[in-house]
Amino acid sequence: MTLKIYNTLTREKQDFTPLDESNVRMYVCGPTVYDYAHIGNARPVIVFDSLFRLLRHIYGTDKVTYVRNITDVDDKINARAAEEKISIRELTEKTAEQFHEDIAALKVLPPSGEPRATDHIAEMVTMISTLMEKGHAYEAEGHVLFDVSSDSSYGALSNRPMDDMMAGARVEVADYKKNPMDFVLWKPSTQDEPGWDSPWGRGRPGWHLECSAMSAKYLGESFDIHGGGLDLIFPHHENEIAQSTCSHGTKVMANYWMHNEYLNIEGEKMSKSLGNFVTINGLLKEWHGEVIRLCMMMTHYRQPISWSVKTLAEARKSLDQWYHVAARADIEGIEPKPEFIAALQDDLNIPKAIAILHELRRFANKGDKESAQQLKACAQFLGFMNDSKQEWRDWKPESAAEVDEDEINALVQARLDARDAKDWEEADAIRDRLVTMGVVLKDSADGTEWELG
C-alpha cells in the first residue's frame, strides 16, 4: 500500500511521493523553551515521532531526515527570565534539558537534527536582505516587515480571505506598517533584551522567520513534509510559506502540510485560568511514559483528544495486558504484519493499528506464539513495550510512597458497595481514582485484592 497523507494545503488525502527517495525530509515546529511543556505540546511530538518511524521503515533508516527546531529567542522567554531573575541562556538551557528528559520518557526518538534559533541569526539576516532586495520586505522605524500584498499566494494554506484572516488574527496595530497584516521579520532590542547586530540596527528576529531559515539550511529550499499543531496553520505556517517561497523563488516550501488537532482536558480547553493546565513532567510523576504515549495515540491525529483519567486508565490496562502475554516473546527477525503497516500508511491511522494489537493480544492470550511475537514487534514499532515484564510491574508513581492503606481499603470497599448497588458509574469513578494512586485491582470470585502497580 502507498503511504497516504492528508495535506492541509490541498485539503485532501494524497499519495505521498517524496522529492528524493534517498533523502525524505520532514520539518516540525518544536518548543519555545521558557516553561515546562504541557501535554498539548506532547501531541505533535508523538504524532510526528510515529510518522518518523514509519518513514524510516518504508524508505530506510538512513534515508529520512527529520528536523525539529528549538525556539530560544522569544518575548515569552525574555519575560520569564526577568521574572525568575536569571539569564536568558540559563532559562533556555534548563528548559530545553527538561523538555528532552520529558519526551524521552514518552519513548520519542531523537530527531535527525535539532537546530536552535540563536545559532542561525546569520541565516535569518541573509533571508531578510534577500526579501528586501526582491521587494517583499521593507524597513520602518527600526523594524523590518514582510509586505503581505507582495505575495499573491498569501492565505493559500489557511484558505481564508484576507479580511477573515485579519479578523481572526491578533494583529499588532502599528503606524509604521503599510498593511495591518504585514508581519515582523526583525525588530529592535533594548539593552536589556537579547540582540544581534544587523544592517537595520541591533535587534532580534521575528518568530516566523526562524523556521524558514532553519528548514532551508537543513532540508533545502523545498522539502517533503512540514508538520505541527492545528493552531500553527495561521499565522505561523502561512507566514513561513510566504517568507520561504518569496525569498527562494520557489512555488512551494513543503509539498505536504500535516497538522494535528487540539487536546482538551475532561472536555474543556486546557487553561491555567481553569486550573486544568497539565505538564508532561507533572503527568510523568503519576503515569508511566508509555501510558501517556498510548493515551495520546488512541485518537486519530486529525481528531481532537478528550484527555481524562479514564482514558489514561484504559491505556494502562491495555499495556498491562500486552506486557502480560508478550513481554518475553522472542521477536528477532520478526517484521510487523502487513495489515498493521497498512493501517499506518493510511494517513497514520494509529487507532486502527492499535485495534490490531488488541486482536493479537486476544490470540496471544490463548497461547498463540506467533500472535505474541507480532504483538510485541508491532507494539515496539509504535514505541511501546520497551521495558522487561518485571520493570513494567515494578514501576510506581511518585505518590505511591504516600499511599494510605486504610484509605485504599476504604475505597476498595466503596467500589464493591457501588457494584453491589449496580451503580457502575460510581464504581468506575472509584476505580479510576485508585488507578491514579498506582493501585492495581484484582477482582475474583473470592473478592477484590489490590497491589501497588
Side-chain angles (χ1 to χ4, degrees):
M1 179 180 175
T2 302
L3 173 60
K4 294 181 181 294
I5 288 175
Y6 182 85
N7 190 350
T8 307
L9 187 61
T10 60
R11 288 164 287 284
E12 64 180 0
K13 195 187 293 187
Q14 296 178 307
D15 289 349
F16 175 68
T17 305
L19 292 167
D20 177 2
E21 288 195 2
S22 67
N23 185 18
V24 181
R25 289 160 286 165
M26 176 170 68
Y27 184 91
V28 176
C29 295
T32 300
V33 286
Y34 72 99
D35 201 352
Y36 285 116
H38 57 71
I39 56 171
N41 302 138
R43 190 172 196 190
V45 172
I46 291 173
V47 166
F48 292 104
D49 173 69
S50 303
L51 181 59
F52 182 38
R53 292 167 184 261
L54 179 60
L55 291 171
R56 298 203 314 173
H57 175 79
I58 297 171
Y59 296 100
T61 301
D62 60 345
K63 295 180 180 178
V64 180
T65 304
Y66 170 28
V67 174
R68 185 187 64 223
N69 75 294
I70 285 182
T71 296
D72 58 352
V73 53
D74 184 85
D75 289 345
K76 290 179 180 178
I77 293 173
N78 301 343
R80 180 58 58 85
E83 179 184 318
E84 295 189 10
K85 295 182 173 55
I86 59 176
S87 71
I88 288 168
R89 172 62 70 175
E90 183 180 353
L91 174 66
T92 57
E93 290 292 336
K94 176 183 70 172
T95 310
E97 182 180 357
Q98 187 63 64
F99 172 75
H100 288 140
E101 289 180 8
D102 290 345
I103 65 170
L106 301 180
K107 312 305 178 184
V108 171
L109 298 175
S112 311
E114 196 175 42
R116 296 190 177 210
T118 53
D119 292 333
H120 298 82
I121 302 299
E123 289 85 352
M124 297 177 207
V125 170
T126 297
M127 180 171 275
I128 295 172
S129 298
T130 300
L131 288 168
M132 293 184 74
E133 290 168 5
K134 292 186 173 184
H136 293 292
Y138 60 93
E139 184 179 2
E141 297 186 19
H143 295 73
V144 181
L145 298 112
F146 185 89
D147 184 354
V148 170
S149 67
S150 72
D151 180 10
S152 60
S153 299
Y154 190 82
L157 182 66
S158 51
N159 193 32
R160 296 157 65 189
M162 189 69 73
D163 289 346
D164 287 354
M165 287 190 286
M166 285 184 62
R170 296 178 180 177
V171 176
E172 179 187 353
V173 178
D175 293 337
Y176 51 78
K177 288 185 177 184
K178 293 181 180 179
N179 183 315
M181 288 297 294
D182 293 348
F183 56 89
V184 172
L185 301 172
W186 189 264
K187 54 187 171 183
S189 294
T190 67
Q191 290 302 313
D192 295 330
E193 294 172 329
W196 293 263
D197 292 333
S198 80
W200 318 286
R202 184 176 180 277
R204 59 195 190 279
W207 173 42
H208 313 301
L209 184 72
E210 299 172 9
C211 288
S212 286
M214 289 185 284
S215 63
K217 178 172 181 178
Y218 293 97
L219 300 177
E221 296 178 354
S222 295
F223 51 94
D224 297 303
I225 301 170
H226 195 313
L230 197 68
D231 56 313
L232 297 181
I233 294 177
F234 181 82
H236 186 50
H237 288 168
E238 197 77 73
N239 292 352
E240 278 188 56
I241 293 172
Q243 295 161 162
S244 297
T245 56
C246 289
S247 172
H248 304 312
T250 54
K251 290 184 178 180
V252 298
M253 179 187 184
N255 279 338
Y256 302 86
W257 289 79
M258 298 178 67
H259 295 91
N260 63 270
E261 257 281 6
Y262 295 108
L263 181 147
N264 298 317
I265 304 291
E266 303 284 357
E268 292 187 305
K269 183 178 179 181
M270 184 166 56
S271 166
K272 288 183 178 179
S273 62
L274 293 175
N276 64 353
F277 190 82
V278 182
T279 66
I280 303 171
N281 185 261
L283 205 59
L284 284 167
K285 297 181 188 305
E286 300 302 318
W287 298 91
H288 192 287
E290 289 189 13
V291 172
I292 300 169
R293 183 181 179 92
L294 180 56
C295 189
M296 197 74 72
M297 296 167 80
M298 286 158 56
T299 304
H300 191 273
Y301 80 92
R302 287 195 292 112
Q303 296 295 323
I305 289 179
S306 183
W307 189 268
S308 67
V309 170
K310 183 177 181 179
T311 54
L312 283 162
E314 289 173 359
R316 170 62 191 265
K317 181 179 179 181
S318 293
L319 283 160
D320 281 340
Q321 293 171 340
W322 298 352
Y323 270 98
H324 177 68
V325 299
R328 295 189 175 94
D330 180 4
I331 60 170
E332 185 177 355
I334 302 292
E335 289 290 324
K337 63 188 304 177
E339 302 96 303
F340 173 82
I341 297 298
L344 299 178
Q345 288 182 305
D346 183 15
D347 193 31
L348 211 60
N349 193 341
I350 299 177
K352 185 176 180 179
I354 291 172
I356 292 171
L357 294 182
H358 288 315
E359 186 72 1
L360 288 168
R361 192 274 309 169
R362 188 166 68 85
F363 286 111
N365 201 41
K366 294 178 180 178
D368 185 76
K369 179 181 177 182
E370 185 178 346
S371 292
Q373 290 174 315
Q374 275 293 330
L375 171 57
K376 186 175 181 180
C378 293
Q380 287 195 346
F381 187 97
L382 287 178
F384 304 112
M385 297 190 70
N386 299 279
D387 293 349
S388 68
K389 188 173 183 178
Q390 191 61 47
E391 287 171 333
W392 176 257
R393 287 175 58 86
D394 288 347
W395 187 91
K396 292 179 175 58
E398 287 192 8
S399 60
E402 306 166 8
V403 162
D404 183 329
E405 290 194 15
D406 291 338
E407 180 186 7
I408 293 174
N409 288 327
L411 287 169
V412 169
Q413 185 59 52
R415 175 174 172 269
L416 290 172
D417 292 343
R419 285 162 63 107
D420 289 342
K422 294 185 171 19
D423 187 349
W424 309 119
E425 185 175 349
E426 176 65 12
D428 287 346
I430 295 171
R431 179 202 62 202
D432 291 345
R433 181 179 172 187
L434 286 163
V435 168
T436 64
M437 297 166 67
V439 177
V440 177
L441 297 175
K442 295 184 177 182
D443 293 318
S444 69
D446 298 326
T448 298
E449 296 181 353
W450 63 267
E451 64 181 28
L452 296 177

